[in-house]
């Protein structure tokens, strides 16, 4: 599907950027396909967690530079967006893990920053180098990087456009784990499988939405407390709230019954 491959098993959807002959260099078609994949998977109750990765040996080498110096020519119509994947990963109800199994440059890295969790390859290069190409960072990186790792890290990475490795990505707070490239996807799948089995889908969706809404809207602690209370009241007394306790007592895997496709309601915004 336009450079994006989807595989679903055991509650986990693996979405692969799939142009290995171009190191998964990003195109407008890929952006549209990735957005469609996100929407479809978010609506699928069989999917609990999404893992975004790249066909080896790279995650995403950045924008496809096949047009040379004309790559960043001004577009002729109003359809252009510097955030070409709609919705972004953070807007989904399902948890998104970026298994960054190789080089992630430019939009490759900025798309990974929209995920909830990142596992990166130690022996790969990472950069958001747009300022070195005469353009600016994209995919909401001025917001995601600052929210995830702080303003100082964002200024360092975005304004210098410098390259760094997986170990530094973890030190800077841009990633959770740094592993050899061959271990990145298996590690991400292990995290995803644990969540798919043991985390209640409605609880995860409510917590994710509150976490990102707080970042987006700048909620103060009182507003967060109110929304946490409302979220509790939605799930307390539910079959899943009872099932979680029963499964813990019985030392077995829980069997969740809530369905986001039919039971979900967005949290109110201030």
């Amino acid at each position: 599907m336009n450079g994006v491959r989807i595989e679903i098993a055991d509650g986990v959807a693996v979405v692969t950027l799939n142009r290995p002959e171009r190191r998964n260099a990003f195109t407008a078609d890929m952006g549209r396909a990735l957005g469609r994949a996100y929407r479809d998977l978010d609506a699928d109750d069989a999917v609990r967690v999404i893992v975004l990765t790249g066909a080896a040996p790279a995650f995403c080498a950045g924008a496809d530079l096949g047009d040379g110096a004309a790559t960043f020519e001004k577009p002729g119509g109003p359809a252009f967006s510097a955030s070409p994947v709609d919705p972004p990963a953070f807007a989904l109800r399902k948890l998104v893990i970026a298994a960054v199994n190789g080089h992630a440059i430019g939009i490759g890295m900025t798309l990974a920053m929209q995920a909830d969790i990142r596992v990166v390859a130690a022996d790969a290069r990472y950069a958001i180098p747009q300022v070195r190409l005469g353009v600016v960072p994209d995919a909401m990186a001025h917001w995601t990087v600052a929210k995830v790792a702080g303003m100082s890290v964002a200024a360092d990475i975005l304004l210098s456009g410098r390259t760094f490795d997986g170990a530094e990505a973890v030190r800077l707070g841009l990633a959770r784990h740094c592993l050899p490239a061959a271990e990145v996807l298996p590690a991400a799948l292990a995290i995803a499988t644990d969540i798919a089995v043991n985390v209640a889908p409605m609880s995860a969706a409510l917590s994710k939405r509150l976490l990102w809404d707080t970042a987006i809207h700048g909620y103060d602690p009182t507003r967060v407390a109110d929304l946490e209370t409302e979220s509790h009241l939605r799930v307390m007394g539910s079959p899943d709230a009872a099932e979680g306790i029963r499964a813990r007592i019985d030392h077995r895997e829980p069997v969740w019954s809530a369905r986001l496709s039919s039971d979900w309601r967005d949290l109110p915004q201030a």
Side-chain angles (χ1 to χ4, degrees), residues 5-9 12-16 41:
R5 185 177 73 242
I6 302 170
E7 300 165 288
I8 301 173
V12 177
V14 178
V15 179
T16 304
L41 296 171

Side-chain angles (χ1 to χ4, degrees), residues 95-242:
L95 185 119
V96 180
I97 301 171
V100 188
N101 55 317
H103 302 323
I105 307 298
I107 196 166
M109 190 64 186
T110 59
L111 288 179
M113 291 306 304
Q114 295 182 350
D116 303 295
I117 296 171
R118 279 156 297 281
V119 181
V120 299
D123 46 347
R125 292 183 293 108
Y126 306 102
I128 303 175
Q130 283 88 327
V131 293
R132 296 185 179 220
L133 301 174
V135 287
V136 292
D138 47 34
M140 308 180 210
H142 295 85
W143 179 77
T144 57
V145 178
K147 286 296 182 183
V148 168
M151 186 68 178
S152 177
V153 171
D156 174 13
I157 297 304
L158 300 181
L159 304 185
S160 73
R162 69 179 181 84
T163 299
F164 50 96
D165 62 14
E168 185 174 7
V170 172
R171 288 198 303 272
L172 292 172
L174 297 168
R176 172 178 169 181
H177 296 302
C178 169
L179 299 166
E183 298 177 20
V184 168
L185 182 57
L189 289 173
I191 297 168
T193 299
D194 173 65
I195 293 169
V197 171
N198 294 303
V199 175
M202 185 63 69
S203 298
L206 286 166
S207 185
K208 174 173 174 172
R209 184 55 53 88
L210 180 52
L211 181 68
W212 283 102
D213 277 0
T214 297
I216 292 167
H217 301 296
Y219 293 152
D220 63 25
T222 300
R223 179 62 176 160
V224 172
D226 289 342
L227 290 171
E228 286 177 345
T229 299
E230 176 165 336
S231 297
H232 270 87
L233 291 173
R234 291 191 187 187
V235 295
M236 294 173 79
S238 70
D240 280 353

